[in-house]
């Protein structure tokens, strides 16, 4: 802190000096308070980051281990059991392929999430048919859905919708994957679309247990 007196020859009185020291004390306390608040905010960010990283590692390790264990088991059985017939070998290979596709999808999702976090995703809007985006998403699950009933109800006169096609396919893929995981195998999955007011609504409907009402508010919280 520097003080520039207009009159260089004039000395400050004790009262002026005390008053100045009071101002200085108040200013320093205010600055210190700002630093402490910022320090606390940084600590909170670090704590949240650690919690998030822990949840991310738990999620990744669980989701990656599941297909890896399945692939390893299938290949191990094929290598160790020389008496396997062609039908059994094919079943093992099909299972390994499905789990590899699933793992690849998970890794792509993680990469996309990293790009989103880094602000590296730029939206590219063009008008597309909902039928095209939903058809592309369903194609990702050709093997998984071959023995499952899927009904698609999209009106032929539905208008084209401005969207980022690749990201919309990703959204639908994730929701369809969720339906496959949590809905009973013997019950159908419906994909519907229609105009509601001034927008188009897409639904992926399954017959699972659903999401508990108390969890709905947090359903889009990361790693919840």
């Amino acid at each position: 802190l520097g003080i520039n007196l207009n009159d260089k020859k004039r000395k400050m009185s004790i009262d002026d000096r005390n008053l100045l020291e009071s101002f200085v004390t108040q200013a320093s306390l205010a600055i210190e308070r700002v630093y402490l608040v910022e320090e606390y905010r940084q600590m909170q960010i670090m704590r949240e980051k650690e919690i998030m990283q822990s949840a991310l590692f738990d999620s990744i390790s669980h989701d990656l281990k599941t297909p890896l264990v399945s692939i390893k088991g299938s290949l191990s059985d094929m290598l160790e059991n020389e008496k396997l017939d062609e039908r059994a070998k094919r079943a093992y290979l099909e299972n390994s392929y499905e789990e590899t596709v699933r793992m690849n999808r998970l890794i792509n999702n993680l990469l996309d999430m990293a790009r989103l976090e880094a602000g590296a995703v730029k939206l590219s809007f063009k008008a597309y048919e909902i039928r095209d985006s939903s058809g592309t998403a369903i194609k990702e699950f050709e093997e998984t859905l071959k023995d499952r009933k899927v009904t698609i109800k999209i009106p032929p006169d539905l208008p084209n919708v401005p969207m980022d096609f690749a990201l919309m396919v990703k959204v639908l893929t994730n929701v369809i994957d969720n339906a496959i995981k949590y809905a009973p195998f013997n019950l159908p999955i419906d994909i519907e679309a229609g105009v509601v007011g001034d927008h188009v609504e897409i639904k992926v409907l399954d017959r699972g247990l659903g999401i508990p009402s108390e969890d709905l508010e947090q359903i889009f919280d990361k790693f919840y």
Side-chain angles (χ1 to χ4, degrees):
L1 176 67
I3 298 166
N4 184 22
L5 299 173
N6 289 332
D7 185 355
K8 305 292 182 187
K9 295 176 182 177
R10 179 176 172 266
K11 290 186 177 179
M12 291 180 70
S13 67
I14 293 173
D15 287 344
D16 286 345
R17 188 177 292 277
N18 289 340
L19 184 61
L20 184 61
E21 284 179 359
S22 296
F23 282 135
V24 170
T25 302
Q26 291 299 316
S28 66
L29 286 172
I31 292 169
E32 188 177 10
R33 210 161 34 238
V34 169
Y35 276 117
L36 288 172
V37 167
E38 179 59 24
E39 198 174 82
Y40 177 75
R41 193 180 72 85
Q42 291 297 333
M43 284 171 60
Q44 286 289 94
I45 290 170
M46 288 298 294
R47 195 175 294 120
E48 286 171 14
K49 197 173 179 181
E50 284 171 11
I51 292 169
M52 202 177 291
Q53 284 175 341
S54 175
L56 175 61
F57 286 132
D58 288 346
S59 175
I60 291 172
S61 60
H62 174 267
D63 286 347
L64 283 179
K65 273 180 185 174
T66 305
L68 278 173
V69 167
S70 182
I71 293 166
K72 185 181 176 184
S74 295
L75 296 177
S76 177
D77 285 349
M78 285 179 67
L79 289 169
E80 292 171 10
N81 192 345
E82 295 176 0
K83 296 179 181 178
L84 280 177
D85 58 24
E86 288 302 315
R87 188 175 175 184
K89 284 181 182 177
R90 182 168 183 82
Y92 278 130
L93 286 171
E94 284 178 354
N95 177 65
S96 296
Y97 175 75
E98 285 175 18
E99 293 298 333
T100 304
V101 169
R102 178 181 166 192
M103 195 160 61
N104 185 57
R105 191 182 303 124
L106 172 67
I107 290 167
N108 284 334
N109 280 344
L110 289 170
L111 291 171
D112 284 344
M113 191 170 69
R115 280 195 285 268
L116 280 168
E117 291 286 330
V121 174
K122 291 190 170 32
L123 297 176
S124 173
F125 286 105
K126 287 183 183 176
Y128 291 99
E129 288 187 21
I130 297 295
R131 192 178 295 277
D132 287 344
S133 57
S134 57
T136 304
I138 291 169
K139 201 165 171 126
E140 293 268 331
F141 303 97
E142 246 173 354
E143 287 298 313
T144 316
L145 292 172
K146 64 182 178 184
D147 298 320
R148 195 161 191 162
K149 187 180 178 186
V150 179
T151 59
I152 300 173
K153 300 175 185 173
I154 300 175
D157 59 345
L158 195 69
N160 290 357
V161 180
M163 66 174 83
D164 185 306
F165 189 83
L167 286 179
M168 181 55 72
V169 168
K170 181 75 71 179
V171 170
L172 290 169
T173 299
N174 286 334
V175 182
I176 293 167
D177 183 48
N178 191 73
I180 291 168
K181 279 182 191 170
Y182 298 109
F185 179 79
N186 59 329
L187 295 177
I189 294 171
D190 300 333
I191 297 173
E192 300 177 359
V195 175
V196 178
D198 60 353
H199 63 277
V200 168
E201 187 173 83
I202 307 170
K203 295 180 183 179
V204 177
L205 306 166
D206 63 55
R207 274 76 176 172
L209 292 173
I211 301 162
S213 57
E214 62 269 19
D215 290 338
L216 285 173
E217 288 295 320
Q218 293 166 284
I219 196 66
F220 289 112
D221 289 358
K222 197 180 291 181
F223 307 124
Y224 181 72

